[in-house]
Amino acid sequence: MNRNKRRQEDNSFTDYNNNNIKKPRQNKITLSDRITNLEDLSNELFYEIFEYLIDHHAFQAFYDLNYRFQKLVLNSNSTIKINISSISKSQFHHYLTDRIKPCTSRIELFRLSNPCIDPCSLLLPIMKNLTQLTTLILNNIEADFIEPIVNQLSSLPVLSSLTIVSIDNIITKNNLYSKLFQLPKLKYCQIYIELLDIPKKFSIATNEFSTIEWLVINHRISIDKLLILLTYVPQLRRLSIDDLVQSEFDQLSKTSTNLNYLTNVSLKFSFHFNVPFHQFEILVENYFHQVQVLNIRTQSVSLDLDTGKYLNANRWEQLISTSMLNLRIFNFQQSYRLFRSNEERQAFDYFINKFNSKFWIEHQWFFDFHYHETKRSTTAVFYSRNPYRKKDYVLYDELTDNIYLTCYDINEDPIHHICLHTTNIIKQCYDKFPNATELTFCEDFEVPRVDSIVVDLNRFLPLKQLTKLSIKCHRFTFEQLIELLQFTPNIHTLELDSIVLFRTDPILIQNHELTQWVSKINHITNVTIMKEITVEKIQLLTVAFPRIEHLTINLFKEDLRPIVKYLFSKLNNNTRYLSLLHISKQRHDWMILLKSIIKSKKLPRNYVFKVINRTLYIWW
């Protein structure tokens, strides 16, 4: 109170007792008077700060400061989003004990993507207390854990979104879909489980139906099994199938189930087991009457010279005119490889010219084609000219005239991922991809001097906006990568075919001022190197990207010892954030060798080792 009184007196410019004007007192203001302590901020403001942070980052930053922050973290009424991906083993146990378990009833979203964590041991003991959990995402988990978890999902009363992605093949023959379809609140379901099959005894639904409105199946499924599954989801609005294969039965039976709400469908047909067009017609005639958006992508080794299969414009016109009267957007792509003769190319030209009839023009559906030649093969691609709302876009050599029509301005479409095959296309697409966040340089991309294309690239897409960069071409040097990364400070995921030095001394690159600058400004936490790597290149990598949390590499056996010694050393400040290492294509004896290396070098032993699909996972 006295302090407030003094402030009032100091701010008074009038002396009412003497009725004279009084000059303000000249107080000396120190730097400490201007600084507000962090703890002076209100609880409400801290809760707003927490909302902008990943939950375990906020927990690590504030929980152990003092008693007040512990109470702030634990006693809030707001819901929690748990994301367990790049977190160290010691931090995880602290987070589990002092955050997840005490606040289980407040968890709204739970995401697990670390294959070294047993999801059953983590989730099953707390499952009944997850009363507010609406979204469960299990990514990169072992298939053996899936069924025990699915069996307990019915104890989650408000679960509305479920994603399950396995890292290996499933063995069980039980029908997991029948259990998922029984969840009473489920609206979104995404499944990717290799070798997951549907038992033959699984029959068409009669009186039990699912509430699912959005179904995504990314593993292989035959069209006859899909026809059965769809009878269980009468409320379905969106359907996406990533690997649809032909039925083993040539004749498919029609069903009486109507999908009156299904408006958006995306299908990719398997390359080796392409669905015959007559089987696809049955799927359309059964379920696609209300579809407004259809995305089709199919690949074939060769072209059927007689029917054209999916390049038969007349057959498409008949199918759309009779069974898809509500179709507004038709996004189609068909690719063929290995042309055997000039006759096949002439047949290809003949079939695609049929897509210029009055029917296609009236619907404003326009198409183009491209021949893409590599050293190994030739590919012909026939595709919808307007990209609509595609998230991925592949650019080859040159754009055909009028490829972007005014009515389908690409600037209005949220295309996020761009794949570049050549530099020729860049200048033709200035300002066409303002929403892109991912950039891929494809295998056949010819690398020019980076400084010669950076200006064009920045007009092609906003480099500062990129969050993921993938370089699959083989001659993109590490120096060129550093030159590019100085303009892309927000990238967090980096994928490289290899680290190319071209006889340049890696020490010189490490000490270069540009490398030092990129090391300070970049936020790269997730790195994948596809080809074998040496300890010298690992050292260069960690110097340039000292915030790596998750590293995936491939190496030769003789390089295992020096790389492990370097990465696991406590004295190595450049790997202080690294907590998850994947070594791909490893041999069976590598785990034994790795354990002996750690023991002999007296390195920290608090590690979890797992071998899944010939990949060695190490978490610490």
Side-chain angles (χ1 to χ4, degrees), residues 5-22:
K5 184 176 180 180
R6 283 196 300 271
R7 288 178 180 171
Q8 292 175 1
E9 291 174 349
D10 292 343
N11 290 333
S12 176
F13 285 82
T14 306
D15 185 351
Y16 293 101
N17 294 328
N18 298 324
N19 201 25
N20 292 323
I21 301 298
K22 185 177 181 180

Side-chain angles (χ1 to χ4, degrees), residues 33-250:
D33 293 327
R34 296 182 179 181
I35 295 179
T36 301
N37 290 327
L38 182 65
E39 294 187 19
D40 291 339
L41 299 178
S42 66
N43 290 350
E44 290 75 15
L45 188 55
F46 275 114
Y47 287 137
E48 289 190 28
I49 293 173
F50 292 166
E51 290 180 2
Y52 285 93
L53 300 175
I54 296 175
D55 188 76
H56 77 80
H57 288 168
F59 175 80
Q60 292 170 22
F62 292 97
Y63 183 80
D64 291 323
L65 290 179
N66 56 39
Y67 180 75
R68 179 201 173 193
F69 284 109
Q70 288 184 8
K71 290 297 182 182
L72 278 176
V73 171
L74 295 177
N75 294 341
S76 169
N77 292 323
S78 61
T79 56
I80 303 171
K81 293 180 174 62
I82 302 295
N83 185 354
I84 302 175
S85 53
S86 298
I87 183 173
S88 71
K89 190 168 178 286
S90 59
Q91 290 172 347
F92 168 71
H93 288 296
H94 181 28
Y95 187 52
L96 175 63
T97 302
D98 295 318
R99 176 58 165 170
I100 295 178
K101 289 183 177 180
C103 303
T104 304
S105 61
R106 289 167 44 204
I107 297 175
E108 176 187 38
L109 179 148
F110 203 114
R111 179 188 182 96
L112 175 63
S113 56
N114 187 333
C116 293
I117 298 176
D118 182 343
C120 290
S121 299
L122 173 61
L123 287 172
L124 295 185
I126 63 173
M127 190 78 83
K128 292 184 178 180
N129 296 323
L130 293 169
T131 54
Q132 293 195 58
L133 186 69
T134 61
T135 303
L136 177 61
I137 302 171
L138 303 176
N139 193 20
N140 292 334
I141 69 168
E142 291 183 78
D144 289 344
F145 295 127
I146 294 175
E147 187 171 12
I149 291 176
V150 169
N151 289 338
Q152 299 299 318
L153 291 180
S154 58
S155 62
L156 302 175
V158 294
L159 182 67
S160 61
S161 177
L162 175 66
T163 299
I164 301 177
V165 179
S166 71
I167 202 170
D168 57 349
N169 299 334
I170 196 167
I171 299 176
T172 180
K173 298 299 181 181
N174 295 330
N175 189 0
L176 295 180
Y177 279 106
S178 63
K179 298 176 182 178
L180 297 178
F181 289 161
Q182 294 174 18
L183 299 176
K185 300 290 184 179
L186 195 62
K187 300 294 184 183
Y188 175 88
C189 183
Q190 178 179 350
I191 303 295
Y192 178 76
I193 306 173
E194 287 288 353
L195 300 185
L196 177 62
D197 198 9
I198 300 172
K200 293 182 179 180
K201 63 180 181 179
F202 191 52
S203 57
I204 293 174
T206 55
N207 55 7
E208 293 184 2
F209 303 101
S210 171
T211 57
I212 292 175
E213 297 179 0
W214 191 336
L215 179 61
V216 180
I217 301 176
N218 288 330
H219 58 80
R220 178 167 294 180
I221 183 172
S222 63
I223 195 168
D224 56 308
K225 300 293 179 61
L226 177 62
L227 286 167
I228 295 175
L229 279 185
L230 293 179
T231 64
Y232 286 82
V233 286
Q235 304 299 317
L236 193 65
R237 298 176 183 273
R238 301 176 70 97
L239 173 67
S240 178
I241 309 293
D242 196 62
D243 193 4
L244 187 62
V245 302
Q246 65 184 10
S247 169
E248 59 181 296
F249 310 105
D250 189 56

Side-chain angles (χ1 to χ4, degrees), residues 393-483:
Y393 208 74
V394 181
L395 296 173
Y396 292 99
D397 298 331
E398 296 180 356
L399 293 178
T400 306
D401 292 340
N402 301 321
I403 191 168
Y404 300 120
L405 302 181
T406 304
C407 58
Y408 297 115
D409 187 355
I410 200 169
N411 285 299
E412 298 176 358
D413 299 310
I415 298 175
H416 297 299
H417 184 197
I418 305 298
C419 300
L420 279 176
H421 283 265
T422 175
T423 59
N424 297 337
I425 199 69
I426 296 176
K427 290 185 179 181
Q428 300 181 48
C429 296
Y430 281 167
D431 304 321
K432 292 294 185 181
F433 304 102
N435 300 305
T437 57
E438 299 181 24
L439 176 62
T440 296
F441 295 98
C442 298
E443 292 89 341
D444 52 348
F445 184 83
E446 292 294 332
V447 185
R449 289 183 54 187
V450 171
D451 57 357
S452 67
I453 66 167
V454 163
V455 175
D456 290 332
L457 271 177
N458 209 28
R459 292 189 62 185
F460 173 70
L461 52 80
L463 291 177
K464 284 188 176 181
Q465 200 168 278
L466 292 180
T467 59
K468 181 177 180 180
L469 176 64
S470 180
I471 299 177
K472 298 181 179 180
C473 50
H474 312 308
R475 300 180 65 83
F476 208 110
T477 69
F478 197 82
E479 292 171 288
Q480 290 173 315
L481 173 64
I482 293 296
E483 290 178 32

